[in-house]
Amino acid sequence: GAGVSQTPSNKVTEKGKYVELRCDPISGHTALYWYRQSLGQGPEFLIYFQGTGAADDSGLPNDRFFAVRPEGSVSTLKIQRTERGDSAVYLCASGLADSTDTQYFGPGTRLTVL
Amino acid sequence: GNSVTQMEGPVTLSEEAFLTINCTYTATGYPSLFWYVQYPGEGLQLLLKATKADDKGSNKGFEATYRKETTSFHLEKGSVQVSDSAVYFCALQGDSSYKLIFGSGTRLLVRP
C-alpha cells in the first residue's frame, strides 16, 4: 500500500518568507509526527498529533513554527519568517493509534533558506 | 534526559566482511530500542527493534541485542553486501512515550 508522502520534495526560499510543508500519512494512521534532520545529524522531534489535536508540540523550536491537522489525516507544517538556520530535511512519520507503535517515515522535504 | 550515542562514521568495509556499529544509550526506565536505515535517496526505514532487556531484534541478516547492563544495542551483520551501503541510525523510545530520540547516524560504505 501507499506509504507516507510529503510534498514538496525540495523547497528553496528566501530568508523572511513563509513556507508550508505537507504530509499525507498512511491511511488509517491516527498518530502523526514531524521531525527535523539537520545535515549530519539524526532526526529531532518537533510535534506529535493524535487525531486532529497536537498532543505534544514541545519540540517546535520557536513560535515561527506551527503545524495543523484539521481533519485528522493530512498535516501541514508552517514556518513563518524563515531563517537560514531553518534549512534542514523535515520528516513526517505516521503510526497506528497506539503511540508506541512503529513509526513509518516519509521521504522528507528538503528546505533550503537562502 | 534520554540520549543515544553511536559510533562516528564513515565505516568502510569490503563485501562479506563482519559489521559492528556501536550504540549506547542513556534513559530512565525501560525504553524500546531501534535501528533505522536510510538508503541513498530514500526515507528512513525501520530495520529492527527490541522492546525489553535481552531481546534480540533481527532483520535482513542484521541483529542487535538489548543489553541493559551495558546500556547498549550494537548492530551486527556477519557478511555485508554492497547493497547494505546506507546511513544507520540507532534510536530509543522512552517508557510510555512516542518520541523517537536518534543518534547522529553512522554511514556504512561497502566496497565490492
Side-chain angles (χ1 to χ4, degrees):
Chain A
V4 178
S5 62
Q6 294 185 244
T7 53
S9 55
N10 279 285
K11 176 70 177 178
V12 180
T13 192
E14 294 179 343
K15 181 176 179 297
K17 299 290 189 183
Y18 168 82
V19 296
E20 290 189 351
L21 312 179
R22 176 187 168 107
C23 172
D24 280 88
I26 293 171
S27 178
H29 281 188
T30 58
L32 187 145
Y33 313 81
W34 284 98
Y35 291 81
R36 179 168 71 172
Q37 185 176 13
S38 300
L39 191 63
Q41 300 299 315
E44 293 180 313
F45 170 81
L46 295 177
I47 187 169
Y48 159 56
F49 286 91
Q50 184 57 261
T52 60
D56 183 352
D57 64 358
S58 62
L60 295 178
N62 52 59
D63 62 6
R64 295 187 297 105
F65 289 74
F66 189 70
V68 296
R69 195 185 184 199
E71 298 178 358
S73 178
V74 170
S75 177
T76 305
L77 179 65
K78 308 180 181 195
I79 310 174
Q80 299 178 322
R81 305 183 304 279
T82 52
E83 299 178 357
R84 292 195 179 88
D86 299 335
S87 296
V89 176
Y90 289 82
L91 299 171
C92 177
S94 70
L96 292 171
D98 185 339
S99 61
T100 58
D101 280 339
T102 298
Q103 297 181 25
Y104 297 88
F105 283 80
T109 294
R110 182 175 298 278
L111 175 66
T112 303
V113 182
L114 301 177
Chain B
N2 294 347
S3 66
V4 174
T5 302
Q6 59 182 108
M7 64 189 288
E8 292 206 13
V11 173
T12 303
L13 296 173
S14 297
E15 205 165 23
E16 299 184 3
F18 183 86
L19 168 71
T20 300
I21 300 178
N22 289 338
C23 172
T24 57
Y25 68 90
T26 300
T28 55
Y30 301 92
S32 294
L33 301 173
F34 304 81
W35 278 100
Y36 276 81
V37 58
Q38 192 168 37
Y39 297 104
E42 299 185 18
L44 277 170
Q45 300 175 25
L46 178 65
L47 181 59
L48 53 85
K49 70 178 183 181
T51 58
K52 60 183 188 294
D54 300 325
D55 268 1
K56 178 186 285 187
S58 60
N59 186 23
K60 300 181 181 180
F62 290 89
E63 292 183 339
T65 300
Y66 186 161
R67 300 282 188 205
K68 193 161 177 65
E69 64 275 14
T70 54
T71 61
S72 64
F73 193 55
H74 304 321
L75 182 68
E76 297 182 335
K77 186 174 186 183
S79 176
V80 293
Q81 305 300 311
V82 172
S83 58
D84 294 326
S85 297
V87 181
Y88 293 81
F89 292 92
C90 185
L92 73 81
Q93 189 174 45
D95 272 347
S96 301
S97 178
Y98 40 79
K99 297 181 192 181
L100 287 171
I101 297 171
F102 288 86
S104 57
T106 302
R107 181 175 299 278
L108 170 66
L109 177 61
V110 181
R111 300 191 184 280

